[in-house]
């Protein structure tokens, strides 16, 4: 149990203070359900992948699906990205109507296609425009609005504290900072030291993101940098149990080590969830990706992954996993994958 009690995001109480990061192409409803299944109530809030306001306000079916969620996933923050104030506001209203618990505005995406159009991290370079967009969104919706950003655009413009002040002035309820600049993309290390500078400027909660690879990492970041919440991204891709592991470690217990059977069972469940939402080709592609991550670090995992890469259907992938499980029964499962160390 976290002695600090729940994180308050406006009227929403989030407990524990552990967040699943928004990840494009990954944190869809099926994946969030998997995280809930693996980590139970140890994940406090889950973010959707970012959703284009352009597509959303054109009733694009794929984007509308990205906004939907099942009851077991809640609370869920829906993240939007874009640049046009009018479309941002209309998309925000649509997200609220869909029943989202939180609306998150993306100010951190480094992808050229997004920043060239004025969205994502480009918004950090235009604080006045950002303020206009955020206040317009706040006027439109009554659910809490949050923002996710980077440390800055580049080394010369590390302005996350200024952007946090803009967010607070516009009435936002929390900011999350991924401690890399736009120019760094995913290179180098995330700098959690930026949190202290942001704290000096604002009194809304500040969550930290970047490079939490294991449960021990999450607790170390809490101790060292005192963020209001820790967000976990890539480590959860290979290890959806990680949130549970953090809470177990916090309680002084040995963190759960998912067995091979647990992993295979999770992949089957993921396949079933995907089937509910996607066409067979998409299911096979997403399952291939997930199976590739979850089997990293397993004894005999490399040939299995090679075979999975060649498999074209969901059934073929599940058959391979099933045969692998039978052949390896009784073999120890390597620690690496269960600890999320594949990303370290
Ligand atoms: C595949 C992938 C997709 C991502 N998509 C998004 C996104 O849609 N929105 C966002 O704000 N951040 C996105 N991120 C950034 C993550 O939310 C997170 O801030 C970053 O990966 C650092 O945290 P980590 O080291 O725990 O993964 C993405 C990251 C990855 C690896």
């Amino acid at each position: 149990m976290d002695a600090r009690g729940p994180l308050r995001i406006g009227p929403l109480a989030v407990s524990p203070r552990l967040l699943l990061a928004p990840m494009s192409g990954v944190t869809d409803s099926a994946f969030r359900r998997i995280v809930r299944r693996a980590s139970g109530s140890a994940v406090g809030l889950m973010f959707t992948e970012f959703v284009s306001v352009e597509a959303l306000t054109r009733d694009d079916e794929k984007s509308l699906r990205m906004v939907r969620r099942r009851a077991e996933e809640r609370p869920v923050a829906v993240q939007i990205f874009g640049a046009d104030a009018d479309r941002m506001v209309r998309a925000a209203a649509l997200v609220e109507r869909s029943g989202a618990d939180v609306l998150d505005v993306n100010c951190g995406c480094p992808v050229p296609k997004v920043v060239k159009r004025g969205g994502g991290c480009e918004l950090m370079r235009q604080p006045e425009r950002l303020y206009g967009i955020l206040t317009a969104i706040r006027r439109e919706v009554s659910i809490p609005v949050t923002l996710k950003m980077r440390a800055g655009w580049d080394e010369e413009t590390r302005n996350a504290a200024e952007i946090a002040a803009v967010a607070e002035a516009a009435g936002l309820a929390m900011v999350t900072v991924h401690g890399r600049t736009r120019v760094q993309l995913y290179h180098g290390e995330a700098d959690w030291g930026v949190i202290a500078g942001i704290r000096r400027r604002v009194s809304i909660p500040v969550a930290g993101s970047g490079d939490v690879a294991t449960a021990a990492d999450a607790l170390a970041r809490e101790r060292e940098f005192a963020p209001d919440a820790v967000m976990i991204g890539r480590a959860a891709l290979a290890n959806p149990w990680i949130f549970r592991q953090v809470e177990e470690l916090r309680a002084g217990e040995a963190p759960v080590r998912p067995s091979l059977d647990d992993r295979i069972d999770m992949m089957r469940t993921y396949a079933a969830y995907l089937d509910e939402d996607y066409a067979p080709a998409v299911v096979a592609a997403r399952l291939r990706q997930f199976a590739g991550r979850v089997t990293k670090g397993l004894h005999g995992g490399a040939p299995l992954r090679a075979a999975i890469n060649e498999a074209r259907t969901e059934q073929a992938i599940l058959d391979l996993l099933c045969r692998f499980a039978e052949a390896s029964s009784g073999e120890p499962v390597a620690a690496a994958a269960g600890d999320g160390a594949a990303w370290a």
Side-chain angles (χ1 to χ4, degrees):
M1 190 66 191
D2 189 328
R4 296 170 297 174
L7 165 72
R8 303 267 166 200
I9 306 179
L12 184 71
V14 168
S15 177
R17 295 162 174 250
L18 298 175
L19 320 175
L20 171 69
M23 284 181 285
S24 176
V26 187
T27 55
D28 57 4
S29 175
F31 188 77
R32 296 191 301 267
R33 292 165 85 188
I34 282 298
V35 172
R36 180 64 78 207
R37 199 177 154 95
S39 279
S41 57
V43 55
L45 175 67
M46 295 194 268
F47 283 65
T48 65
E49 42 194 329
F50 69 172
V51 190
S52 156
V53 299
E54 299 291 331
L56 209 50
T57 53
R58 290 199 172 94
D59 291 337
D60 169 59
E61 183 45 42
K62 203 172 134 215
S63 303
L64 290 169
R65 185 174 55 212
M66 285 168 151
V67 167
R68 288 184 209 124
R69 75 217 73 78
R70 269 96 177 166
E72 77 235 43
E73 300 163 34
R74 294 187 62 192
V76 169
V78 174
Q79 190 188 67
I80 56 170
F81 76 96
D84 179 77
D86 179 51
R87 284 201 186 269
M88 296 286 269
V89 168
R90 281 162 50 206
L94 196 150
V95 167
E96 177 169 58
R97 277 199 306 278
S98 81
D101 298 288
V102 174
L103 174 83
D104 189 64
V105 178
N106 181 304
C107 293
C109 179
V111 174
K113 208 172 91 184
V114 173
V115 294
K116 274 194 193 130
R117 292 186 186 151
C121 205
E122 176 63 26
L123 288 171
M124 291 188 76
R125 299 214 282 186
Q126 303 185 33
E128 281 176 20
R129 196 161 73 82
L130 177 62
Y131 178 76
I133 292 172
L134 296 178
T135 44
I137 289 176
R138 276 289 294 129
R139 267 199 303 273
E140 183 71 22
V141 301
S142 51
I143 53 173
V145 181
T146 58
L147 171 157
K148 182 164 177 284
M149 61 182 159
R150 285 190 168 233
W153 183 266
D154 57 20
E155 275 313 302
E156 283 66 54
T157 33
R158 294 171 66 86
N159 65 339
E162 183 197 350
I163 298 301
V166 166
E168 183 171 49
L172 267 60
M174 179 178 80
V175 293
T176 304
V177 59
H178 172 197
R180 287 185 175 86
T181 63
R182 187 266 164 180
V183 168
Q184 272 183 293
L185 300 171
Y186 285 88
H187 303 299
E189 267 177 39
D191 171 18
W192 284 64
V194 290
I195 288 174
I198 299 175
R199 267 206 192 297
R200 281 195 290 276
R201 290 284 291 271
V202 300
S203 52
I204 53 174
V206 183
S209 163
D211 303 346
V212 172
T214 64
D217 280 352
L219 295 184
R221 296 293 193 289
E222 281 182 7
R223 270 195 308 275
E224 201 175 336
F225 302 103
D228 289 293
V230 170
M231 180 178 268
I232 302 178
R234 288 169 291 178
L237 299 181
N239 177 18
W241 291 268
I242 191 168
F243 301 95
R244 173 175 301 215
Q245 291 170 336
V246 176
E247 289 312 291
E248 286 166 345
L249 205 58
R250 192 195 302 285
E253 298 161 15
V256 58
R257 285 257 166 110
S259 68
L260 182 57
D261 282 349
D262 292 335
R263 286 158 207 248
I264 304 260
D265 179 56
M266 199 55 87
M267 285 185 265
R268 277 185 205 291
T269 307
Y270 184 52
Y273 289 164
L274 288 169
D275 278 335
E276 291 178 33
D277 289 346
Y278 299 108
V282 181
V283 174
R286 295 222 168 187
L287 190 57
R288 250 194 319 271
Q289 279 177 358
F290 186 59
R293 294 184 190 112
V294 175
T295 56
K296 268 220 171 93
L298 291 183
H299 295 296
L304 171 65
R305 275 192 301 285
I308 286 174
N309 269 337
E310 298 301 315
R312 298 271 70 83
T313 65
E314 170 189 343
Q315 196 52 53
I317 299 167
L318 292 176
D319 286 347
L320 281 166
L321 290 168
C322 196
R323 260 180 270 139
F324 179 77
E326 278 164 15
S328 342
S329 71
E331 296 259 337
V333 175
D339 292 346
W343 289 100

